[in-house]
Amino acid sequence: MNVTRGFTGRDRVHNPGLPPGQYDAGDDWPVLSAEVTPELAPADWTFRVDGLVERPHTWDWDEAHALPPSAYEGDIHCVTSWSKFGVRFGGVSLDAFLDVVRPHGSATHAVAYSHTGYTTNLPLADLTGGRAWIAWEYDSEPLAAEHGGPARLLVPHLYFWKSAKWIAGLRLLDHDEPGFWEQNGYHARGNPWEEQRYSGD
Amino acid sequence: MSTSSFSSFTPSTRFAVPGRIAVSNRAAALWQTATLTEIRRETPHAATFRFAVPAWAGHLPGQHLMLRLTAEDGYTAQRHYSIASAPDDAGHIELTLDHVEGGEVSGWFHTVAKPGDEVEVRGPLSGFFAWPGDRPALLIGAGSGVVPLMSMVRHHRARELSVPLRLLVSARRPEELIYARELGTETTPVFTRSAPEGVPVGRMAAAHVASVLADQPPGGWEAYVCGSNAFAEHASRLLVEAGQPVDRIRIERFG
Ligand SMILES: Cc1cc2nc3c(=O)[nH]c(=O)nc-3n(C[C@H](O)[C@H](O)[C@H](O)COP(=O)(O)OP(=O)(O)OC[C@H]3O[C@@H](n4cnc5c(N)ncnc54)[C@H](O)[C@@H]3O)c2cc1C
């Protein structure tokens, strides 16, 4: 351990919900995206799931909202070291979308892509079983554009760069294909509890 | 609804030359000791911290690193910082930190740190915001957002590059303009609270961006925007409104 002289850290109560290397951002919700925030109206938003599926499908805003609603209440963790506790997102479980397209047995991974062109890869197992959402509400309000509104992917058990803002679609694949930050050195999976920040961690 | 009209989506990144700079995964994963060798005050709220990092793999202007402080009980705090120095400063890197009110890491640097102290760093990270000096660069920053942009300006000077480079930098007042002594004819400062005699006071506006964009180099500008999220939103909107293509705007937000 490399102790830093005179560094004590802020007054802290150990929070068991805080993954290693993270700090509690409190009320702050930092914004980190590399691209220009798009002006995307709900009427222009669409979400497509294709690739290794039986029935590729594209939902528009109304059709997606007709699916059974599902909320996430819990924590989120950003690779830049902040975590945010007790957030509330509303939307639809990704399972509901996958039920419609029926993934092939050969599908193991997905590339999520945004209306901006941003991409990120995920194992399919991280997107199923009630662990991922398409979210359009935050604290019962429409999700703000800078946080990915009108709708973003939400995969709260992984670092937040996986939760693609302005989500446009998922392509199911039988192999892993690095996305935008993963090509820039980030970890392929990004589990905060194992501190999978950078490739090689 | 019909699905046939949506078959044209492509799941590929359309940002300009994504991942144009390969990052070394080994350097990104490895913590190294950085020894503080010098502290230089820049403004009342910002100082530059120079470190010796003997095994530093080198970086490109615009890249950042992860810095970690460790308390006696094992508690750690880590934050990202842009690299201020140019790549040719072998075995050394410089960071410029704003003193954030109540800030855990910047507070330690501004009130405790002194030469000889050791911290840990890993990096360089992220090739997306990097500028190897190959394309005309229009740099727009505010506050400490000028830090990675200064690495580009320094690189441009040190290598005597001829590719066009322009810097628009916003600060509250002249005393708070980081690197003021070093900025030259490539720079247009914008002051939001008070300015020297004869210089207007106000936010960065369409006119600032328009005058640079009117002066298009062949192939156009690659725009690099850095600062707080509010500034990044404002500046990137000005760029888009002035006609800069969205996929040629790279943004580094400090949170
Ligand atoms: C890619 C990137 C590059 C960056 N480059 C630079 C750079 O070159 N220079 C630079 O100066 N910064 C840079 N930053 C920002 C930097 O990473 C830190 O966010 C910044 O230094 C503040 O960290 P801190 O530990 O001092 O403050 P923190 O402790 O993180 O506090 C941040 C804010 O939260 C408040 N706060 C939060 N919790 C508490 C609490 N419990 N008690 C009191 N206050 C609290 C603080 O008052 C403060 O306003 C960069 C960020 C990114 C993402």
Side-chain angles (χ1 to χ4, degrees):
Chain A
M1 190 167 74
N2 271 306
V3 175
T4 315
R5 183 191 61 84
F7 177 70
T8 51
R10 214 167 5 227
D11 288 345
R12 57 199 123 95
V13 257
H14 177 68
N15 187 331
L18 206 54
Q22 298 291 109
Y23 74 100
D24 180 357
D27 292 335
D28 283 354
W29 188 1
V31 175
L32 294 149
S33 34
E35 68 266 58
V36 176
T37 300
E39 281 176 33
L40 185 64
D44 298 328
W45 178 84
T46 52
F47 175 62
R48 176 170 177 83
V49 186
D50 62 16
L52 295 173
V53 300
E54 267 172 51
R55 299 193 327 152
H57 191 79
T58 303
W59 288 261
D60 66 10
W61 188 253
D62 291 337
E63 206 189 350
H65 279 66
L67 293 168
S70 170
Y72 170 73
E73 202 166 333
D75 310 332
I76 56 177
H77 312 287
C78 175
V79 70
T80 62
S81 303
W82 56 266
S83 292
K84 197 167 166 53
F85 292 109
V87 300
R88 280 182 16 233
F89 284 96
V92 170
S93 168
L94 206 57
D95 293 315
F97 295 93
L98 292 171
D99 282 348
V100 174
V101 299
R102 295 202 296 265
H104 289 316
S106 59
T108 56
H109 289 80
V111 171
Y113 54 99
S114 295
H115 283 274
T116 60
Y118 175 85
T119 56
T120 188
N121 53 310
L122 297 120
L124 193 53
D126 281 316
L127 292 172
T128 53
R131 302 211 290 168
W133 289 259
I134 297 298
W136 41 65
E137 275 179 11
Y138 180 78
D139 252 354
S140 308
E141 298 287 334
L143 183 63
E146 61 180 16
H147 291 301
R152 73 181 298 160
L153 180 63
L154 177 70
V155 193
H157 67 284
L158 299 179
Y159 282 128
F160 224 44
W161 89 80
K162 295 289 180 183
S163 295
K165 295 177 180 178
W166 315 295
I167 187 74
L170 285 179
R171 179 154 290 169
L172 270 51
L173 308 169
D174 59 6
H175 60 277
D176 199 5
E177 213 170 273
F180 176 75
W181 285 122
E182 295 80 11
Q183 290 165 29
N184 276 286
Y186 278 45
H187 197 276
R189 178 146 186 265
N191 179 350
W193 295 97
E194 292 174 18
E195 275 207 274
Q196 294 172 339
R197 297 176 191 275
Y198 300 101
S199 157
D201 277 348
Chain B
M1 62 172 276
S2 113
T3 56
S4 56
S5 59
F6 291 93
S7 53
S8 61
F9 274 139
T10 47
S12 67
T13 295
R14 67 170 143 80
F15 298 120
V17 204
R20 58 201 285 238
I21 288 127
V23 287
S24 156
N25 294 338
R26 268 193 57 219
L30 185 78
W31 287 104
Q32 329 183 34
T33 300
T35 308
L36 189 56
T37 60
E38 189 191 332
I39 303 175
R40 289 199 312 270
R41 180 134 302 280
E42 300 283 356
T43 71
H45 297 288
T48 292
F49 299 86
R50 181 173 175 80
F51 299 90
V53 193
W56 185 246
H59 62 274
L60 287 162
Q63 287 191 287
H64 60 259
L65 52 68
M66 179 84 106
L67 182 144
R68 176 165 82 180
L69 304 182
T70 304
E72 291 220 12
D73 63 357
Y75 170 82
T76 59
Q78 45 186 330
R79 302 287 187 270
H80 281 117
Y81 291 103
S82 297
I83 300 163
S85 43
D88 293 339
D89 197 2
H92 288 84
I93 49 170
E94 293 187 357
L95 309 178
T96 301
L97 272 67
D98 244 340
H99 191 173
V100 174
E101 186 73 28
E104 189 170 38
V105 172
S106 68
W108 179 84
F109 270 100
H110 280 271
T111 60
V112 180
K114 60 179 195 211
D117 282 341
E118 291 179 350
V119 302
E120 288 172 294
V121 296
R122 73 197 297 206
L125 306 171
S126 183
F128 178 69
F129 199 72
W131 179 72
D134 56 344
R135 299 178 186 192
L138 167 53
L139 317 178
I140 306 185
S144 58
V146 72
V147 174
L149 309 180
M150 195 62 204
S151 177
M152 301 178 190
V153 172
R154 287 169 167 164
H155 181 57
H156 191 264
R157 288 207 191 130
R159 294 277 181 95
E160 296 177 4
L161 302 177
S162 57
V163 60
L165 178 102
R166 298 284 296 274
L167 171 64
L168 294 179
V169 58
S170 172
R172 283 196 197 87
R173 42 185 69 85
E175 314 82 84
E176 288 182 41
L177 180 62
I178 301 175
Y179 313 126
R181 291 178 306 263
E182 268 184 77
L183 301 173
T185 53
E186 76 291 320
T187 301
T188 307
V190 178
F191 297 109
T192 56
R193 302 277 171 78
S194 69
E197 277 284 316
V199 178
V201 173
R203 288 223 292 177
M204 191 167 296
H208 296 109
V209 173
S211 78
V212 185
L213 282 183
D215 194 8
Q216 283 277 336
W221 295 104
E222 197 71 26
Y224 290 81
V225 174
C226 187
S228 67
N229 180 55
F231 179 80
E233 286 291 307
H234 175 66
S236 61
R237 202 163 300 136
L238 290 178
L239 280 168
V240 172
E241 282 163 8
Q244 175 71 7
V246 280
D247 57 1
R248 299 203 54 191
I249 302 174
R250 295 157 192 274
I251 306 179
E252 184 94 288
R253 300 168 204 250
F254 284 180

